[in-house]
């Protein structure tokens, strides 16, 4: 009887089982030593069913229907693993096999912060992305990102502008300068963490990319772990505190998932004197799963911020005030106030459609729109001396450079004093830190403005501002659409196709922010009477209102436009022991400038320029030769062109539409060959690389003395200008970056491993590029152009600046079975240089203005001594990190901490630039031989010891 009932039950249930095509999916989780990992949480995306691996690492899901699935495996101290698979109608059991999870150890969560320093005066900026927030899986990249990135180490010396950052299928590169503004999603670490990375110039499935990695991240609401996650961080870096809260609903039965997050980072004063930080960030993600083959996501990211920036300084200033000195602030009515404040809010709205066309094909489509303003304030002045405390006439070295037998006026201008007394007084105030001298004196600037007589200017009566604050504004509107198509022909061959379109529009202008007690400021060139006698000097001729008040636009106003389309097909296939990946690029862009002001010097200042069109082509390839399951040879090669950014194309866009002479697409040729070993006891990557760049255009702006500018007005009157703010352009710059990389991670015991890194490079200029300069002091030159050819810049074989060319790291990591870890490492950097200034390495530099011949008695050895490469000191650092995690039923707690630069080394220069104030050899040599040069290089120093403590609570 029981047998009959059993048979009846069996045959009754069979049709139902067949109808639902129920399948059991299972797998085994192991570490890279092959040992089982228990208590791993395995989340089945789109379902409320989760699994937990048992003591042998086994997990399973039952009663799954046919379709496409994704699982996410998480466990403290291990990298998150995401895996996708398909179930067909005829499968009853699906074996996912052995899945390896890699230990994160000390890199679990070090709360990495983006640190940036920029100097608007000289157009010099540097941004450390600290490993772009996430290392790739190979051992060299992991150590370089987490241990060296904090010290501005740039792998292979490659400019980050040649890479690609993608968020939900859309490029985040700004087409005006090629940079990425990470502040647009700053603070959303738990949302943007764990991207996919194609390191260096290796090909990517999602875009063609460039030369410094492709970082790709999708933020699908249904992929985040269900529940709440609270994080609190403490640090002494740019900000002091970070608080965030994230909630994910998980995918409900109706196919909806929601994730929302908010965060704030703030500091009343950061590690640099006089700086503050106040930034909020928010994320909203909505995902709708229509069916097993189709889902749609909506993402909103917004990160308003307001923060102040810190200045670079000469060595003289650092010697007086230390490496945390910042000249951009001072006291007003007893309160700190900064002149350099960045404020912005550029939210991003994105919609993605995920469509699995059939078992072998899928199509992702993304649409994105970003808009908003970024504002950067600065102090400006007219017809008065530069009020900066570090202006060369305000430093002790200025008085030390004068004839000791002369007298100079006091600050009050009443009773002259001797140069010796003035030097001693200045030295005493700087060494003692008298903020009336060493910082901006806001009260004095307001007083000077209020003391101005009431006069009539252009029909308006009032007090004209000598000093005033302005905002340089960028008002962006960026539209993107892209598609990502995948076709799996079989198990060994995959075809990829990416197509993207971007429409970029940015209106840039200067706006009056604060008149500082005055009634208005004039929209007029204060140097026009001297440099351009007889001309109006108006920045916008023909306007009705020349006297500007708060909120008015002045000095410049123009629009950048660029449209760009890229087509990127790729093919991945297996041939014997080779895994091959070939990808190509065809791109087209059209760029223009539209001037909204009619500058008094340039006929092409107002109106739309011509359209400048560029085609880009490229080919990348990767070949992996598998000696066996643990030893590989990997070759990556790339050859491609890259259109110039808008800021490199238009050399002086604030005032005219002139383009760089002989500008072309930059061409990159990149090759590397690696040997990779991956065993349970040793992970190793040894690489050699060679990267050649040609046709690069660079644009720099600075003030120069000793140049010879001759102007002739309409009546034939000639005016000679010796000093001016100039724009320097170099075209067809050739560079070579070559070197070797070695990364090792060796297990000494199951819980203790040693790791090390060696990076030895040689990054040089390979030619003597032609150099041009332009200046508003001259306007249009006698050749009818707004720039002049000053000949070749002799910089061949000079080292490139911006990063150490030698880096070494050695450390250890201990990972306890009790869920705590500890690690430390030693880092050493050498061969770091400042980029050579081009103008002082041209023939113009050594020519006497009077005779147009080289200076008398100038020898080659003396010239080499004066113009030798500016090498920065080497340095070493110690870092340490530790952490502990707890799982209490459904609750998870993580506490981690890291300390960088334990020995508080403040002698390390992270970057800087050569000043080109003296454009002639005689003046340059005289200044260079002083104890403290008046116009020595300006540096950024490391900030000293820093810490980051992170507490995470998940429930």
């Amino acid at each position: 009887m029981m047998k009959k009932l059993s048979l009846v039950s069996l045959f009754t249930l069979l049709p139902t089982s067949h109808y639902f095509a129920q399948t059991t999916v299972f797998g085994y989780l192991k570490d890279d030593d092959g040992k089982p990992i228990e208590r791993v949480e395995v989340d089945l995306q789109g379902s409320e069913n989760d699994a937990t691996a048992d003591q042998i690492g086994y997990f399973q899901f039952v009663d799954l229907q046919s379709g496409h699935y994704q699982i996410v495996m998480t466990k403290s101290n291990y990298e998150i693993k995401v895996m996708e698979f398909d179930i067909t109608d005829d499968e009853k059991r699906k074996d996912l096999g052995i899945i390896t999870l890699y230990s994160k150890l000390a890199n679990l969560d070090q709360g990495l912060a983006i640190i940036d320093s920029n100097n608007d005066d000289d157009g010099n900026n540097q941004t450390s992305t600290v490993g772009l927030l996430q290392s790739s899986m190979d051992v060299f990249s992991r150590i370089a990102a987490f241990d060296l990135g904090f010290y501005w180490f740039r792998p292979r010396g490659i400019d980050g502008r040649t890479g690609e950052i993608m968020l939900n299928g859309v490029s985040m590169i700004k087409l005006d300068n090629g940079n990425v503004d990470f502040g647009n999603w700053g603070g959303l670490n738990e949302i943007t963490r764990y991207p996919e990375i194609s390191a260096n110039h290796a090909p990517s499935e999602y875009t063609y990319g460039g030369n410094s990695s492709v970082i790709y991240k999708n933020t699908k609401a249904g992929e985040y772990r269900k529940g709440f996650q609270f994080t609190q961080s403490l640090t002494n870096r740019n900000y002091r505190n970070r608080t965030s809260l994230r909630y994910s609903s998980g995918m409900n039965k109706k196919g909806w998932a929601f994730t929302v997050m908010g965060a704030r980072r703030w500091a009343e004063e950061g590690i640099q004197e006089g700086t503050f930080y106040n930034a909020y960030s928010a994320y909203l993600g909505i995902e709708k799963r229509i069916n097993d083959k189709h889902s749609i996501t909506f993402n909103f990211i917004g990160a308003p911020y307001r923060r102040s920036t810190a200045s670079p300084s000469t060595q003289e200033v650092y010697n007086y005030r230390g490496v945390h000195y910042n000249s951009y602030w001072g006291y007003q009515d007893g309160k700190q106030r900064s002149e350099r404040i960045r404020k912005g809010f550029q939210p991003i709205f994105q919609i993605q459609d995920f469509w699995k066309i059939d078992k072998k094909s899928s199509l992702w489509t993304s649409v994105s729109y970003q808009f908003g303003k970024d504002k950067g304030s600065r102090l400006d002045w007219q017809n008065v001396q530069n009020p900066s405390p570090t202006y060369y006439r305000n430093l002790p070295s200025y008085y030390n450079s004068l004839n000791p037998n002369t007298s100079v006026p006091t600050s009050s201008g009443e009773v002259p004093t001797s140069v010796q007394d003035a030097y001693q007084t200045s030295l005493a105030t700087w060494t003692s830190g008298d903020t009336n001298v060493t910082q901006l004196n806001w009260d004095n600037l307001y007083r000077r403005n209020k003391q101005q007589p009431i006069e009539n200017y252009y029909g308006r009566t009032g007090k004209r501002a000598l000093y005033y604050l302005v905002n340089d504004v960028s008002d962006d509107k960026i539209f993107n659409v892209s598609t990502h198509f995948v076709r799996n022909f079989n198990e060994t061959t995959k075809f990829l196709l990416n197509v993207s379109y971007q429409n970029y529009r940015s209106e840039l202008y200067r706006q009056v922010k604060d008149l500082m007690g005055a009634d208005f400021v004039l929209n007029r060139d204060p140097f026009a009477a001297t440099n351009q006698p007889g001309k109006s000097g108006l920045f916008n001729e023909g306007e009705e209102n020349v006297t500007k008040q708060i909120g008015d636009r002045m000095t410049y106003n123009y629009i950048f436009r660029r449209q760009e389309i890229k087509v990127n097909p790729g093919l991945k296939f297996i041939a014997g022991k080779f895994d091959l990946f070939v990808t190509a690029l065809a791109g087209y862009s059209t760029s223009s400038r539209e001037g909204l002001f009619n500058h008094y010097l340039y006929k092409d200042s107002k109106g739309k320029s011509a359209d400048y069109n560029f085609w880009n082509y490229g080919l990348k390839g990767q070949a992996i030769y598998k000696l066996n399951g643990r030893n590989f040879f990997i070759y990556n090669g790339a050859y491609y062109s890259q259109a110039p950014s808008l800021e490199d194309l238009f050399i002086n866009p604030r005032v005219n539409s002139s383009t760089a002479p002989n500008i072309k697409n930059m061409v990159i040729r990149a090759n590397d060959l690696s040997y990779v070993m991956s065993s349970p006891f040793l992970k190793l990557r040894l690489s050699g690389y060679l990267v050649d760049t040609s046709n690069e255009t660079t644009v720099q702006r600075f003030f120069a003395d000793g140049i010879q500018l001759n102007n002739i007005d309409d009546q034939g009157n000639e005016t000679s200008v010796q000093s001016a703010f100039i724009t320097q352009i170099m075209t067809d710059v050739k560079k070579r970056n070559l070197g070797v990389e070695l990364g090792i991670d060796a297990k000494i015991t199951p819980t203790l491993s040693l790791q090390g890194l060696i990076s030895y490079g040689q990054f040089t200029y390979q030619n003597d590029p032609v150099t041009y300069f332009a200046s508003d002091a001259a306007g249009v030159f006698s050749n009818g152009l707004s720039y002049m050819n000053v000949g070749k810049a002799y910089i061949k074989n000079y080292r490139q600046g911006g990063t150490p060319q030698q880096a070494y790291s050695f450390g250890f990591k201990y990972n306890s079975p009790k869920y705590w870890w500890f690690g430390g490492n030693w880092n050493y950097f050498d061969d770091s240089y400042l980029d050579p200034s081009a103008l002082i390495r041209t023939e113009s530099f050594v020519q006497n203005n009077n005779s147009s011949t080289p200076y008398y008695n100038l020898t080659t050895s003396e010239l080499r001594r004066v113009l030798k490469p500016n090498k920065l000191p080497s340095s070493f650092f110690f870092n340490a990190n530790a952490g502990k995690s707890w799982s209490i039923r459904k609750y998870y707690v993580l506490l981690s901490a890291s300390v960088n630069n334990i020995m508080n080394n403040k002698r390390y220069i992270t970057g800087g630039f050569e000043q080109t104030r003296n454009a002639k050899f005689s003046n340059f040599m005289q200044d260079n031989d002083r104890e403290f040069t008046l116009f020595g290089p300006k540096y950024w120093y490391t900030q000293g010891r820093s810490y980051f403590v992170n507490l995470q609570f998940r429930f």
Side-chain angles (χ1 to χ4, degrees):
M1 184 64 180
M2 289 298 296
K3 287 184 178 180
K4 290 182 179 179
L5 286 174
S6 297
L7 288 173
V8 171
S9 298
L10 176 62
F11 284 101
T12 302
L13 291 173
L14 272 177
T16 304
S17 300
H18 175 74
Y19 179 79
F20 286 107
Q22 294 170 331
T23 303
T24 297
V25 176
F26 62 94
Y28 295 87
L29 292 165
K30 296 186 178 182
D31 63 17
D32 50 359
D33 291 328
K35 297 180 180 179
I37 310 175
E38 60 177 322
R39 297 173 62 187
V40 178
E41 297 173 356
V42 186
D43 298 337
L44 182 67
Q45 303 300 288
S47 169
E48 295 185 355
N49 297 325
D50 296 338
T52 301
D54 62 17
Q55 292 181 345
I56 61 171
Y58 177 82
F59 69 91
Q60 71 173 15
F61 295 97
V62 297
D63 297 339
L64 298 187
Q65 300 179 32
S66 61
H68 181 75
Y69 291 90
Q70 182 183 76
I71 56 175
V72 180
M73 292 148 278
T74 58
K75 180 180 173 64
S76 62
N77 297 4
Y78 288 88
E79 298 279 0
I80 287 180
K81 184 87 169 185
V82 179
M83 185 176 183
E84 297 186 9
F85 59 89
D86 293 299
I87 298 177
T88 59
D89 293 336
D90 56 350
E91 286 184 293
K92 299 300 180 184
R93 292 175 60 82
K94 188 173 189 69
D95 184 0
L96 300 179
I98 296 175
I99 304 170
T100 303
L101 298 187
Y102 294 92
S103 172
K104 290 170 63 178
L105 297 170
N107 300 329
L108 182 61
D109 186 358
Q110 300 195 40
L112 298 179
I114 298 174
I115 301 172
D116 64 271
S117 302
N118 53 64
N119 178 55
D120 298 329
D121 288 335
D122 298 88
N124 178 289
N125 68 80
Q126 50 180 340
T127 301
S128 171
T129 59
V130 194
L132 294 170
L133 308 183
Q134 172 68 28
S135 69
S136 62
M137 286 303 297
D138 86 79
V139 58
F140 180 93
S141 299
R142 186 169 63 246
I143 300 172
F146 286 103
D147 294 328
L148 306 186
F150 183 81
Y151 303 105
W152 305 87
F153 173 72
R154 204 164 63 195
R156 304 187 179 185
I158 301 299
D159 188 340
R161 297 190 306 168
T162 64
E164 191 88 64
I165 312 296
M166 301 192 74
L167 190 61
N168 298 314
V170 171
S171 173
M172 292 289 104
I173 302 293
K174 293 195 67 175
L175 295 181
D176 57 346
N177 55 23
N179 288 325
V180 176
D181 189 353
F182 289 93
N184 286 331
W185 58 87
L188 298 174
N189 301 37
E190 290 81 2
I191 295 295
T192 58
R193 185 174 283 133
Y194 308 120
E196 297 183 44
I197 296 176
S198 297
N200 304 310
H201 60 269
S204 165
E205 292 193 4
Y206 302 102
T207 185
Y208 185 82
N211 212 21
S212 62
S213 301
V214 172
I215 314 295
Y216 183 90
K217 174 62 182 175
N218 260 333
T219 60
K220 297 176 71 174
E223 291 185 358
Y224 296 102
R225 178 179 175 81
K226 182 178 180 180
F228 287 90
Q229 180 171 303
F230 170 80
T231 304
Q232 179 65 52
S233 305
L234 300 175
T235 182
N236 67 337
R237 299 175 185 172
N238 285 4
Y239 57 87
R240 302 286 184 173
N241 302 275
R242 176 181 179 268
T243 301
S244 70
L245 180 65
R246 186 189 73 188
Y247 171 73
S248 297
S249 66
M251 190 69 69
N252 64 24
K253 295 180 179 179
K254 295 184 178 181
W256 289 94
F258 302 87
T259 295
V260 61
M261 179 179 171
R264 185 191 178 199
R265 294 163 294 157
W266 73 98
E268 292 185 7
E269 185 173 37
I271 194 169
Q272 297 293 93
E273 295 175 354
T275 60
F276 66 87
Y277 202 104
N278 193 15
Y280 294 85
S281 48
Y283 167 79
L284 172 63
I286 303 173
E287 183 177 356
K288 170 59 178 174
R289 176 161 293 177
I290 300 173
N291 52 47
D292 292 337
K293 295 184 177 181
H294 201 179
S295 65
I296 297 176
T297 67
F298 168 79
N299 293 287
F300 163 79
I301 295 176
Y305 62 86
R306 184 175 181 270
R307 61 183 178 86
S308 57
T309 60
S311 65
S313 293
T314 60
Q315 190 59 52
E316 176 188 8
V317 173
Y318 284 125
N319 286 351
Y320 297 143
R321 303 305 314 142
V323 299
H324 293 153
Y325 173 76
N326 172 22
S327 66
Y328 291 156
W329 70 277
Y331 286 105
Q332 182 179 358
D333 296 328
K335 296 182 179 179
Q336 286 186 353
R337 183 181 182 183
S338 174
E339 60 146 317
R340 301 294 176 99
I341 296 175
R342 295 294 302 275
K343 180 181 180 181
F345 180 44
Q346 297 183 314
I348 305 170
F349 297 85
Q350 297 179 323
I351 295 176
Q352 268 189 299
D353 181 89
F354 298 87
W355 178 28
K356 186 171 178 58
I357 301 172
D358 54 37
K359 295 179 180 180
K360 295 185 177 182
S361 304
S362 63
L363 179 68
W364 299 357
T365 304
S366 305
V367 178
S368 173
Y369 183 65
Q370 181 179 7
F371 66 94
K373 296 180 181 180
D374 178 87
K375 300 180 179 180
S377 71
R378 60 181 300 148
L379 187 63
D380 208 348
W381 55 92
Q382 293 185 359
N383 304 113
V384 288
Q385 182 176 291
N386 186 340
S388 170
T390 56
Y391 179 59
Y392 80 101
R393 289 178 177 266
N394 295 330
L395 293 173
S397 57
Y398 170 70
Y399 299 104
N400 201 31
S401 70
L402 301 177
N403 185 333
N405 297 319
T406 59
S407 298
V408 294
T410 60
S411 58
S412 62
E414 296 175 356
V415 182
T417 185
S418 68
V419 167
Q420 297 96 321
D421 289 342
Y423 170 75
Q424 292 298 332
T425 300
S426 179
L427 182 63
T429 54
W430 272 95
T431 54
S432 66
D434 183 350
T435 56
N436 289 316
V437 174
T438 63
Q439 305 300 149
L440 283 171
N441 193 325
W442 289 100
D443 294 334
N444 185 51
L445 301 182
Y446 270 78
R447 184 166 50 252
R448 290 284 305 278
N449 275 353
K450 291 177 180 179
Q451 290 174 348
Q452 284 292 294
I454 297 176
E455 298 184 70
N456 185 280
Y457 296 88
Y458 299 93
R460 176 171 288 176
T461 301
K463 297 180 179 180
R464 179 177 70 92
L466 301 178
Y467 307 97
Y468 52 99
L469 278 170
V470 295
N471 272 325
D472 289 312
V473 182
S474 172
D475 186 354
D476 299 341
K477 294 178 176 63
I478 308 170
F479 173 77
N480 285 277
V481 60
S482 65
T483 61
H484 172 66
F485 174 76
V486 179
R487 172 70 177 179
N488 292 291
F489 292 108
N490 51 50
E491 293 182 355
T492 62
T493 307
K494 177 193 288 190
F495 173 74
L496 304 148
L497 178 64
N498 301 300
V499 181
S500 65
Y501 166 78
Q502 182 172 115
N503 189 314
Y504 176 87
R505 181 190 187 276
S506 181
E507 183 171 358
L508 300 103
Y509 56 89
R510 179 165 288 179
Q511 184 180 51
V512 181
K513 180 181 180 181
D514 191 346
L515 290 168
M516 299 171 59
D519 297 316
F520 52 79
V521 62
L522 300 182
N523 193 25
R524 186 180 70 186
D525 183 356
F527 300 103
T530 302
N531 298 337
Q532 302 289 337
K535 296 189 177 180
S536 70
L538 297 179
F539 289 127
N540 188 17
E541 284 191 324
E543 68 177 352
E544 295 181 0
N545 179 26
V546 179
T547 55
K548 301 298 181 179
Q549 296 181 301
I550 294 176
D552 291 342
R553 300 182 184 187
M554 65 175 296
T555 311
Y556 67 90
N557 191 4
Y558 64 97
I559 298 172
F560 267 157
R561 292 186 177 92
R562 172 171 280 189
Q563 296 186 70
E564 185 173 74
I565 186 168
K566 294 180 180 179
V567 180
N568 167 220
L571 186 66
K572 299 181 75 172
F573 58 98
I574 298 174
K577 288 191 173 184
F578 286 94
D579 288 356
L580 303 171
F581 187 5
V582 180
T583 180
L585 169 70
Y588 174 80
S589 67
T590 179
S591 307
S592 66
R593 171 197 179 270
E594 181 182 358
L596 303 179
F597 274 11
N598 185 21
H599 194 279
Y600 75 102
L601 286 178
Y602 305 102
K603 294 180 180 179
D604 62 345
S605 60
K606 189 172 183 178
K608 187 178 180 298
S609 72
D611 291 328
Y612 295 90
N613 306 319
F614 295 91
W615 286 92
N616 287 326
Y617 301 96
L619 186 67
K620 285 186 176 182
Q622 182 182 75
I624 302 176
Y625 179 72
K626 297 167 285 188
L627 288 172
N628 50 49
R630 293 178 177 176
N631 295 272
F632 311 87
F633 284 103
I634 303 175
Y635 167 76
N636 291 296
Y639 178 89
Y640 63 96
S641 62
Q642 183 171 306
S645 68
L646 286 163
E647 289 186 358
D648 288 338
L649 174 62
F650 295 98
I651 58 177
N652 207 3
R654 292 185 174 184
V655 294
N656 60 43
S657 294
S658 295
T659 57
N662 305 315
I663 194 165
K664 301 176 183 177
N665 290 40
M666 184 168 64
V667 176
I668 294 96
R669 304 170 184 83
N671 295 273
D672 69 31
L673 180 64
S674 300
Y675 167 68
V676 177
M677 174 185 285
S678 181
S679 74
F681 305 103
L682 179 64
K683 289 180 173 57
L684 176 149
R685 173 164 77 81
L686 174 63
S687 303
Y689 60 88
L690 172 63
V691 181
D692 284 330
T693 305
S694 59
N695 292 343
E696 184 175 357
T697 298
T698 66
V699 179
Q700 294 177 307
R701 297 173 178 88
F702 48 83
F703 195 88
D705 277 337
I707 58 174
Q708 185 72 38
L709 301 176
N710 296 319
N711 303 321
I712 301 178
D713 62 21
D714 297 335
Q715 286 72 41
N717 300 315
E718 184 173 343
T719 305
S720 179
V721 178
Q722 297 289 332
S723 303
F725 191 83
I726 72 170
T727 298
Q728 171 188 280
I729 309 105
M730 287 195 299
T731 60
D732 190 27
V733 180
K734 292 180 171 61
K735 297 178 180 178
R736 169 164 288 180
N737 295 52
L738 61 87
V740 293
E741 299 172 332
L742 173 64
I744 299 177
D745 190 333
K747 280 191 177 294
I748 306 304
T749 70
T751 57
L752 177 65
S753 62
L754 302 179
Q755 61 182 15
L757 171 153
I758 296 174
S759 176
Y760 188 91
Q762 199 173 78
F763 316 143
T764 57
Y765 289 92
Q766 290 293 292
N767 70 329
D768 299 320
V770 177
T771 303
Y772 305 82
F773 77 79
S775 174
D776 295 343
V780 177
F781 291 90
S782 58
N783 58 8
L785 302 173
S786 64
Y787 54 83
M788 175 182 290
N789 187 328
V790 292
K792 292 182 178 180
Y794 294 94
I795 61 172
K796 185 177 181 180
N797 296 325
Y798 273 81
R799 296 293 187 98
Q800 301 171 34
T803 182
Q805 302 194 16
Q806 290 188 51
Y808 306 89
S809 181
F810 178 76
F812 73 94
K813 49 189 178 183
Y814 177 80
N815 188 32
S816 169
K818 303 296 184 181
Y819 306 107
W820 62 269
W821 77 89
F822 177 73
N825 65 289
W826 167 85
N827 305 307
Y828 176 81
F829 303 96
D830 202 356
D831 275 0
S832 187
Y833 295 81
L834 297 186
D835 256 326
S837 171
L839 187 60
I840 64 174
R841 291 173 173 88
T842 63
E843 291 183 2
S844 170
F845 176 69
V846 299
Q847 287 181 346
N848 190 309
N849 282 339
N850 297 322
S851 64
S852 297
T853 59
Y855 286 98
Y856 181 69
N857 286 337
L858 174 60
T859 63
T860 302
S861 60
E862 181 68 3
L863 188 60
R864 286 177 176 171
R865 181 185 70 84
V866 172
L867 299 181
K868 65 182 179 181
N870 203 321
K871 185 177 181 180
L872 304 177
S874 60
S875 282
F876 66 88
F877 305 91
F878 291 97
N879 300 340
N881 50 75
K884 176 75 170 74
S885 64
W886 298 266
S887 292
I888 308 170
R889 296 183 181 178
K890 295 183 178 181
Y891 302 101
Y892 171 80
V893 180
L894 166 68
L895 178 64
S896 61
S898 63
V899 181
N900 286 328
N901 192 4
I902 294 173
M903 305 301 291
N904 201 27
N905 180 355
K906 296 182 180 180
R907 300 181 301 276
Y908 179 60
I909 299 173
T910 60
F913 53 94
E914 293 184 347
Q915 290 197 82
T916 316
R917 184 76 182 229
N918 289 314
K920 290 295 182 178
F921 173 79
S922 58
N923 294 332
F924 186 94
M925 183 179 65
Q926 182 181 7
D927 185 44
N928 188 69
D929 289 341
R930 294 190 178 104
E931 179 184 1
F932 286 114
T933 63
L934 300 182
F935 308 110
K938 287 193 172 182
Y939 303 115
W940 283 279
Y941 270 82
T942 186
Q943 298 176 343
R945 184 186 301 114
S946 68
Y947 64 84
F948 200 100
V949 180
N950 200 62
L951 174 64
Q952 187 181 103
F953 182 48
R954 206 161 63 203
F955 56 98

